[in-house]
Amino acid sequence: VNSYSITYQKKYDAQHKTVFSVNEQDITNYLCIYLFMGIIQFPSKSLYWHQKSDLSMSDIFGHDFVKEIMGVKKYKLIERSI
């Protein structure tokens, strides 16, 4: 499995960089979540990772599928990098 290193550089601070590693499976998982979000739409992307007990509408938000294949932090890092 190939591993890649992505450097994400924030626009407001050219000297602050976040370096993280991704592999082919991470990219595949990201794309699966991205497509899933196009089919099942929530008002906010972060709602896909919410614990069902976090919200009063507990039966609507939060998807185990999304939470199991990638954490929100890694998803957002990849999203910002592409």
Side-chain angles (χ1 to χ4, degrees), residues 23 31 52:
N23 57 35
L31 292 173
K52 292 189 185 265

Side-chain angles (χ1 to χ4, degrees), residues 2-4 6 17 19 33 42 50-51 61-62 68 80:
N2 292 332
S3 182
Y4 307 96
I6 294 177
K17 294 181 182 180
V19 178
I33 293 171
F42 289 166
H50 268 265
Q51 296 296 327
F61 299 115
E68 287 175 8
R80 290 182 203 139

Side-chain angles (χ1 to χ4, degrees), residues 33 36-37 39-42 45-52 58-70:
I33 293 171
F36 181 78
M37 288 177 173
I39 297 167
I40 309 294
Q41 297 181 355
F42 289 166
K45 286 183 183 178
S46 62
L47 291 175
Y48 293 92
W49 285 272
H50 268 265
Q51 296 296 327
K52 292 189 185 265
S58 62
D59 294 334
I60 298 173
F61 299 115
H63 270 276
D64 291 336
F65 162 75
V66 174
K67 291 184 266 187
E68 287 175 8
I69 66 170
M70 183 176 287

